[in-house]
């Protein structure tokens, strides 16, 4: 069975600096999708970025980028030029290809210091 | 495009009472998910619908939880009777079709349930 681990319960960063959130996963599937979701205090979960396993190029969305290491089963999220609006819970999720369900990590709370 | 709608946003009940949550997915989305999110944890899938059929309800506590998706659009999740451990946020999500590559799930604002 697939598992997703986020080892950092909480991270803090100074506004305008860069922060990296860690995620590791375990799977025997060869092709799959990985996602980072953001959940602000209002609780609406929104997609930040996605990565397909067979693509070697790391995904990038504006200030958000990932470092995908398939052999190491690592999928970290880098946030550049952190902004106050980035403060939220960040969840890493693995999409199980057998039924397309998401397996979620426990989340990392990101605090932005002004 | 309207997002996923959920109501109510908050609900406080006594244990052993009943409660129902409602979800209206994004128009045209075939797949609907109900998640339970306990404070400090990631979401846990309770049930997944494809149109009006159940794809997976293996983690739904069927002795007290029930869900339906009539006509393949709106869905309701019911708890009867509620227990203290049911206190959580209940999230509804929808996607265009579960099999599409990289298919994104869109989430509603959730319903925060407190059982006293």
């Amino acid at each position: 069975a697939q598992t997703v681990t986020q080892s950092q319960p909480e991270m803090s960063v100074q506004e305008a600096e860069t922060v990296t959130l860690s995620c590791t996963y375990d799977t025997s599937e060869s092709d799959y999708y990985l996602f980072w979701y953001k959940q602000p205090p209002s609780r609406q979960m929104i997609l930040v970025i996605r990565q397909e396993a067979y693509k070697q190029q790391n995904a990038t969305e504006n200030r958000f980028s990932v470092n995908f290491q398939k052999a190491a089963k690592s999928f970290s999220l880098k946030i550049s030029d952190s902004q106050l609006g980035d403060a939220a819970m960040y969840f890493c999720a693995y999409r199980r290809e057998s039924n397309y369900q998401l397996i979620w990590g426990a989340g990392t709370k990101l605090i932005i210091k002004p | 495009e309207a997002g996923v709608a959920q109501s109510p946003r908050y609900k406080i009940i006594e244990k052993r009472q009943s409660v129902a949550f409602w979800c209206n997915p994004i128009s045209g989305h075939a797949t609907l998910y109900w998640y339970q999110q306990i404070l400090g944890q990631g979401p846990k899938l309770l049930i997944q619908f494809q149109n009006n059929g159940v794809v997976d309800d293996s983690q739904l506590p069927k002795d007290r939880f029930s869900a339906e998706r009539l006509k393949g659009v709106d869905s309701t999740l019911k708890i009867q009777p509620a227990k203290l451990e049911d206190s959580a946020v209940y999230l509804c999500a929808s996607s265009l079709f579960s099999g599409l590559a990289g298919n994104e799930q869109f989430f509603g604002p959730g319903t925060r349930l407190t059982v006293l």
Side-chain angles (χ1 to χ4, degrees):
Chain A
Q2 294 85 8
T3 58
V4 176
T5 302
Q6 293 180 251
S7 58
Q8 305 154 316
E10 186 175 295
M11 291 282 284
S12 63
V13 64
Q14 207 70 36
E15 190 177 6
E17 293 188 347
T18 296
V19 64
T20 299
L21 308 184
S22 301
C23 173
T24 58
Y25 59 94
D26 189 30
T27 184
S28 57
E29 295 180 326
S30 58
D31 196 17
Y32 45 86
Y33 278 84
L34 295 162
F35 302 85
W36 278 99
Y37 277 86
K38 171 185 177 181
Q39 188 177 42
S42 66
R43 297 196 310 277
Q44 190 119 19
M45 193 85 76
I46 54 175
L47 179 67
V48 174
I49 200 165
R50 84 187 82 193
Q51 174 82 41
E52 185 167 7
Y54 83 86
K55 290 185 178 178
Q56 295 192 357
Q57 186 173 7
N58 289 326
T60 299
E61 290 286 344
N62 301 312
R63 297 183 295 108
F64 298 86
S65 61
V66 299
N67 183 5
F68 173 51
Q69 303 287 330
K70 190 173 183 180
K73 295 180 181 172
S74 171
F75 182 59
S76 60
L77 175 69
K78 186 172 84 171
I79 306 174
S80 304
D81 185 26
S82 298
Q83 300 175 0
L84 294 178
D86 295 334
M89 285 292 292
Y90 285 81
F91 291 94
C92 177
Y94 171 100
R95 193 178 86 159
R96 186 185 285 160
E97 293 309 292
S98 58
N99 57 15
Y100 307 109
Q101 291 175 2
L102 295 177
I103 310 301
W104 298 83
T108 296
K109 182 178 181 180
L110 180 62
I111 297 168
I112 311 295
K113 299 176 183 176
Chain B
E1 177 181 82
V4 177
Q6 288 188 249
S7 68
R9 291 293 308 275
Y10 304 91
K11 190 74 178 178
I12 300 174
I13 62 173
E14 301 278 336
K15 60 183 179 183
R16 292 188 289 273
Q17 284 188 325
S18 302
V19 65
F21 312 127
W22 173 82
C23 173
N24 182 250
I26 292 173
S27 177
H29 279 196
T31 309
L32 186 147
Y33 309 82
W34 281 104
Y35 291 92
Q36 180 192 60
Q37 187 178 23
I38 292 173
L39 187 65
Q41 299 181 17
K44 169 191 167 185
L45 180 68
L46 293 175
I47 189 167
Q48 176 184 350
F49 292 96
Q50 182 76 16
N51 297 309
N52 61 351
V54 175
V55 174
D56 186 353
D57 63 358
S58 58
Q59 298 197 84
L60 187 73
K62 298 181 188 62
D63 58 334
R64 298 184 301 106
F65 287 64
S66 64
E68 60 181 7
R69 190 183 184 196
L70 299 176
K71 300 180 182 178
V73 182
D74 293 8
S75 178
T76 56
L77 176 69
K78 297 179 181 177
I79 308 175
Q80 180 180 9
K83 293 185 175 181
L84 296 177
E85 59 261 36
D86 297 333
S87 294
V89 175
Y90 291 84
L91 298 170
C92 179
S94 70
S95 63
L96 196 58
F97 180 73
S98 62
L100 280 176
N103 198 21
E104 176 184 353
Q105 292 186 24
F106 293 84
F107 285 80
T111 297
R112 180 182 293 279
L113 174 67
T114 301
V115 182
L116 303 176

